[in-house]
């Protein structure tokens, strides 16, 4: 007799250099594992709620101040989220990020620290789940452990709302302020995310789960209240494309104590288009990066705690020597997640 279960624990994760990202998906004490940055194909059980918290701590590489008088120091991307299983195959999420961005800048032969922090752009996401079992079908209300080893897929999409503040400026050196869109906590305009995931728990080696995730984020031009030559500045962040793969290995489990520990390994490819200022493509922006992520996920009853380190393994930036503070120029990113289902 097949053991029928309802997935009971969830891990979500949306990440960026100038913004943070959540990865989507749910996992249980039994069944497929879930990575940290790569979205899995699990959906929230119907009628259940998910609470989610993620920290993406970014430490930037620093260089000679004679070469870079102003340098990004660290970013903290906090993401607070709540999800609901409207149907077994349809999950809805609401994310509210909080950003802290710190920069070291030169002034009068010395240095000072400029920090901008605040709530960023709220985002809404919907996840549509389906599977392949002798044909494509919607994710059912209940699945056995054998059923969970089938190929599972999701299509997901969402939109951010411009609730953050894009118009806060550093006025330490210039009373008018300095125009730095990447130091703001909002984009000023909505952005759109579309993605696809595939997940497979290996039948012959069920401790191992393979996860694939790809997504595209579209940004739009915003007109800031900052003026130059009597005209308000316009800026558009480059669109972003991601291609992620991950392996989750069930390293330890004790079902009597409802405890499980997974080891995680991920490869995250990201391509950023150039930013545009007043319609002109900007130098020292954009490029491609391949990140590696190593981490763990601990499950205890209905809670999940994830931790990992993300580092750039390879990069081809458009003007690498001028891109301090761009994706690919991190010393490391520390990823922490906590989620619970109820």
């Amino acid at each position: 007799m097949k053991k029928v279960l309802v997935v009971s624990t969830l891990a979500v994760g949306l990440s960026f250099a100038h913004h943070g990202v959540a990865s989507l998906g749910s996992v249980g004490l039994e069944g497929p594992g879930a990575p940290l940055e790569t979205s899995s194909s699990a959906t929230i059980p119907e009628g259940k709620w998910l609470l989610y918290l993620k920290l993406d701590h970014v430490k930037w590489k620093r260089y000679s101040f004679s070469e870079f008088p102003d340098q990004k120091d660290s970013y903290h991307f906090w993401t607070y989220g709540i999800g609901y299983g409207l149907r077994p195959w349809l999950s809805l999420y609401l994310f509210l990020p909080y950003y802290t961005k710190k920069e070291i800048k030169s002034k009068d032969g010395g240095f000072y620290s400029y920090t901008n922090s605040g709530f960023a752009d709220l985002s809404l996401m919907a996840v549509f789940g389906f599977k392949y079992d002798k044909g494509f079908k919607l994710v059912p209300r209940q699945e056995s452990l054998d059923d969970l080893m089938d190929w599972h897929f999701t299509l997901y999409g969402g939109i951010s709302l411009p609730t953050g503040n894009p118009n806060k400026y550093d006025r330490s050196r210039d009373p008018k302020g300095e125009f730095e869109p990447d130091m703001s906590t909002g984009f000023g305009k909505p952005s759109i995310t579309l993605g696809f995931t595939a997940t497979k728990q290996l039948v012959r080696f069920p401790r191992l789960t393979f996860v694939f995730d790809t997504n595209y984020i579209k940004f739009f031009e915003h007109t800031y209240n900052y003026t130059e030559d009597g005209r308000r500045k316009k800026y558009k962040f480059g669109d972003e494309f991601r291609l992620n793969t991950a392996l989750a290995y069930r390293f330890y489990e004790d079902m009597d104590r409802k405890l499980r520990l997974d080891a995680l390994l991920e490869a995250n490819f990201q391509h950023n288009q150039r930013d545009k200022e007043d319609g002109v493509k900007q130098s020292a922006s954009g490029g491609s990066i391949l990140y590696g992520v190593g981490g763990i996920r601990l499950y205890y009853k209905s809670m999940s705690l994830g931790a990992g380190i993300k580092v750039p393994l390879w990069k081809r930036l458009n003007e690498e020597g001028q891109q301090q503070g761009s994706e690919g120029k991190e010393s490391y990113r520390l990823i922490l997640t906590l989620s619970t289902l109820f």
Side-chain angles (χ1 to χ4, degrees):
M1 178 180 177
K2 289 183 176 181
K3 181 181 179 182
V4 176
L5 57 92
V6 176
V7 177
S8 60
T9 305
L10 195 138
V12 187
L14 281 173
S15 70
F16 310 85
H18 42 263
H19 54 119
V21 194
S23 59
L24 304 164
S26 64
V27 293
L29 280 167
E30 300 175 274
L36 294 172
E37 293 283 84
T38 304
S39 295
S40 83
S41 307
T43 51
I44 302 175
E46 183 175 356
K48 295 288 187 178
W49 292 88
L50 169 86
L51 290 180
Y52 168 78
L53 173 64
K54 178 183 179 182
L55 170 64
D56 182 358
H57 165 70
V58 186
K59 187 65 178 176
W60 299 106
K61 286 184 178 177
R62 299 258 291 269
Y63 301 90
S64 166
F65 278 91
S66 61
E67 187 177 358
F68 292 98
D70 298 346
Q71 300 195 35
K72 303 292 189 299
D73 180 70
S74 61
Y75 286 178
H76 290 84
F77 299 121
W78 290 94
T79 303
Y80 306 90
I82 185 169
Y84 181 71
L86 190 64
R87 294 287 187 274
W89 42 267
L90 181 61
S91 304
L92 304 177
Y93 296 93
L94 170 67
F95 295 104
L96 179 60
Y98 185 91
Y99 297 165
T100 298
K101 300 181 177 184
K102 181 181 177 183
E103 189 176 16
I104 306 298
K105 308 176 81 168
S106 59
K107 182 183 179 182
D108 302 330
F111 301 97
Y112 71 99
S113 169
Y114 170 65
T115 300
N116 187 20
S117 61
F119 284 102
D121 294 348
L122 182 151
S123 63
L124 305 168
M125 302 287 290
V127 179
F128 172 78
F130 58 103
K131 60 180 291 184
Y132 186 84
D133 181 13
K134 299 176 182 177
F136 290 101
K137 56 187 68 174
L138 296 176
V139 174
R141 186 183 301 272
Q142 292 182 321
E143 292 186 280
S144 70
L145 290 178
D146 290 342
D147 293 334
L148 289 174
M149 293 186 190
D150 296 332
W151 277 100
H152 285 69
F153 310 92
T154 62
L155 292 170
Y156 62 91
I159 185 170
S160 70
L161 304 176
T163 55
N165 182 6
N167 290 305
K168 184 178 177 182
Y169 308 109
D170 175 19
R171 302 180 190 276
S172 302
R173 295 183 299 200
D174 184 349
K176 175 186 172 184
E178 296 178 348
F179 185 62
E180 289 185 289
D182 61 343
M183 285 294 289
S184 68
T185 57
F187 291 97
K189 283 286 180 64
S191 62
I192 295 174
T193 300
L194 295 174
F196 167 81
T197 73
T199 300
K200 182 75 171 80
Q201 184 182 5
L202 276 62
V203 175
R204 294 188 176 182
F205 193 47
R207 287 180 174 269
L208 195 63
T209 300
F210 166 78
V211 183
F212 170 83
D213 168 32
T214 184
N215 61 66
Y216 189 90
I217 303 177
K218 175 69 177 175
F219 295 96
F220 297 92
E221 184 181 71
H222 173 62
T223 301
Y224 291 74
N225 62 14
Y226 183 91
T227 59
E228 192 171 85
D229 300 328
R231 293 182 304 171
R232 295 174 65 186
K233 275 286 186 186
K234 296 181 178 179
Y235 201 90
K236 177 187 177 300
F237 288 91
D239 295 351
E240 300 179 357
F241 169 75
R242 286 177 172 76
L243 194 66
N244 304 322
T245 60
L247 292 173
Y249 176 73
R250 194 185 314 162
F251 182 75
Y252 173 81
E253 62 182 344
D254 185 336
M255 289 302 115
D256 292 333
R257 299 170 60 192
K258 299 186 182 304
L259 190 65
R260 168 178 168 177
L261 179 64
D262 282 7
L264 309 172
L265 189 62
E266 302 185 43
N268 302 155
F269 173 79
Q270 177 176 338
H271 176 73
N272 300 338
Q273 295 181 355
R274 288 185 185 276
D275 297 345
K276 291 182 180 178
E277 185 172 323
D278 296 327
V280 179
K281 291 182 178 179
Q282 294 297 288
S283 63
S285 69
S288 300
I289 312 102
L290 177 65
Y291 292 99
V293 182
I296 59 168
R297 184 176 292 283
L298 177 67
Y299 306 91
Y300 178 64
K301 296 182 178 179
S302 62
M303 298 186 67
S304 167
L305 173 66
I309 295 291
K310 180 176 181 177
V311 295
L313 301 176
W314 170 90
K315 55 182 173 291
R316 182 173 293 170
L317 305 181
N318 290 327
E319 287 81 28
E320 184 174 337
Q322 305 172 35
Q323 292 185 240
Q324 193 277 334
S326 296
E327 282 106 332
K329 288 289 191 173
E330 303 95 333
S331 290
Y332 64 88
R333 301 177 81 118
L334 171 65
I335 311 294
L336 299 173
T337 71
L338 178 64
S339 55
T340 184
L341 197 73
F342 58 96

